[in-house]
Amino acid sequence: MQIKEEIRKLIELQKIDSHLLNLKQQKDVIKPGELARLKETLESKKTELSSKEEAIKQIQIKRKEKELDLETREEAIRKAQAQLYQLKTNQEYKAKLREIESLKADVSVVEEDIIRILDELEKKNKELKEVQEKLQEEEDKIKKEISKIEAEIKNLEAEIKNLENKRNILASEVDKNILKKYEYLLQHRGGLAIVPLRNGSCGGCFMNLPPEITNKVKQYKDLVQCEMCARLLYLEEDFNL
Ligand SMILES: [Zn+2]
């Protein structure tokens, strides 16, 4: 077994594994996060719409109440007016007239209330219509974005599968013990198992390593690991990198 050849395969494997890690991050974290945010936005728009609808419903209830109130008061005026002609004394007549005046004053207050409510309703209905139109537009836009991201996730899945096949073939060509070490490091060192040694410094943890480490790496007799992070080391110039 030639160490340098094994390292060459590991460098290639690392390239694929780093790419895979990135793709999986996209597929499992980034894209689902984007989807969740879009769905949340859609929900909050719908909530805004239903709160506007609810506000309108409340105003309409108020309007009904006021209209009923108005009817009752108008009925009372009609009754009082009918009574006018049955009254015997001037005093009773005057008192009734005052009562009617007071009833009419109440009626105009209620009528003003109703006009205000109708104005409010008009305003709220206009707002609702705007929100509905905006929501429809945004909903279409968001739904398009959602299908785009779902398609991207499908593409990522295919790309990952393809790359995993490639990785498995390459991994099967690596010496079993070396592969075991590499995979252990891959798992415990944030997906980075083999790194270049550049000007005596580890490409993984950036620790400066003594010159004898560089000399040892250059010989490619054994695997050399960083003293600090234990990642496997190589020199880029030895692999035309
Ligand atoms: Zn290191």
Side-chain angles (χ1 to χ4, degrees):
M1 176 187 63
Q2 276 205 315
I3 287 293
K4 197 171 172 185
E5 265 323 294
E6 295 305 305
I7 288 180
R8 191 186 300 282
K9 289 179 222 162
L10 289 186
I11 294 169
E12 194 53 37
L13 203 54
Q14 178 68 70
K15 221 159 79 186
I16 294 176
D17 281 331
S18 294
H19 191 183
L20 267 174
L21 194 69
N22 186 294
L23 294 177
K24 283 178 181 169
Q25 176 85 355
Q26 288 278 333
K27 178 182 87 81
D28 297 331
V29 182
I30 296 172
K31 295 294 165 189
E34 287 173 7
L35 275 183
R37 272 195 298 281
L38 285 171
K39 285 175 182 170
E40 219 172 84
T41 309
L42 203 57
E43 276 317 301
S44 77
K45 298 278 168 201
K46 282 181 182 166
T47 308
E48 190 189 337
L49 185 70
S50 51
S51 83
K52 290 232 179 273
E53 284 168 342
E54 184 51 34
I56 287 174
K57 235 182 248 167
Q58 290 307 319
I59 297 168
Q60 267 161 345
I61 290 172
K62 224 162 72 187
R63 176 190 169 183
K64 274 260 156 59
E65 283 169 2
K66 289 282 175 190
E67 280 170 350
L68 267 176
D69 186 22
L70 187 67
E71 265 173 46
T72 311
R73 287 173 197 275
E74 280 171 343
E75 182 57 34
I77 292 173
R78 273 194 297 278
K79 234 184 226 165
Q81 277 170 334
Q83 284 166 354
L84 263 185
Y85 306 103
Q86 295 156 12
L87 297 171
K88 308 258 174 343
T89 69
N90 201 22
Q91 228 167 3
E92 281 175 325
Y93 189 80
K94 273 185 180 164
K96 189 53 81 179
L97 273 185
R98 271 199 302 276
E99 192 193 322
I100 291 172
E101 277 320 299
S102 149
L103 282 169
K104 280 184 176 169
D106 290 346
V107 161
S108 15
V109 170
V110 177
E111 279 173 343
E112 276 168 29
D113 282 350
I114 291 177
I115 289 170
R116 248 200 314 277
I117 289 171
L118 289 176
D119 282 347
E120 203 186 340
L121 261 180
E122 198 185 311
K123 205 179 107 203
K124 294 276 179 198
N125 273 318
K126 206 175 142 215
E127 278 176 20
L128 178 70
K129 212 171 159 238
E130 281 169 6
V131 172
Q132 276 169 333
E133 281 167 10
K134 229 172 93 190
L135 179 71
Q136 193 55 56
E137 251 173 60
E138 287 183 57
E139 207 177 314
D140 292 346
K141 217 176 93 194
I142 289 173
K143 279 184 179 164
K144 253 181 224 158
E145 281 180 60
I146 287 176
S147 357
K148 197 181 129 218
I149 292 171
E150 281 169 346
E152 282 170 355
I153 290 175
K154 280 236 162 65
N155 285 341
L156 282 168
E157 279 165 0
E159 206 181 337
I160 287 168
K161 216 173 155 195
N162 195 9
L163 212 53
E164 274 173 345
N165 285 337
K166 218 170 128 186
R167 189 224 185 254
N168 290 341
I169 293 169
L170 187 59
S172 72
E173 292 166 2
V174 179
D175 171 83
K176 289 272 172 305
N177 287 326
I178 291 179
L179 185 66
K180 222 168 134 185
K181 187 172 244 173
Y182 168 89
E183 285 183 336
Y184 177 86
L185 287 167
L186 196 69
Q187 228 181 5
H188 295 88
R189 292 292 179 273
L192 206 54
I194 184 163
V195 294
L197 182 64
R198 291 190 183 119
N199 301 320
S201 136
C202 167
C205 70
F206 305 105
M207 177 79 175
N208 275 320
L209 301 170
E212 54 265 34
I213 294 282
T214 304
N215 291 334
K216 246 167 94 185
V217 170
K218 258 184 202 159
Q219 291 165 14
Y220 296 106
K221 267 198 212 143
D222 268 315
L223 290 177
V224 183
Q225 291 176 268
C226 169
E227 291 173 340
M228 186 71 186
C229 69
R231 289 187 178 96
L232 302 169
L233 300 168
Y234 66 93
L235 290 161
E236 287 167 304
E237 59 263 36
D238 295 335
F239 296 90
N240 299 319
L241 293 169

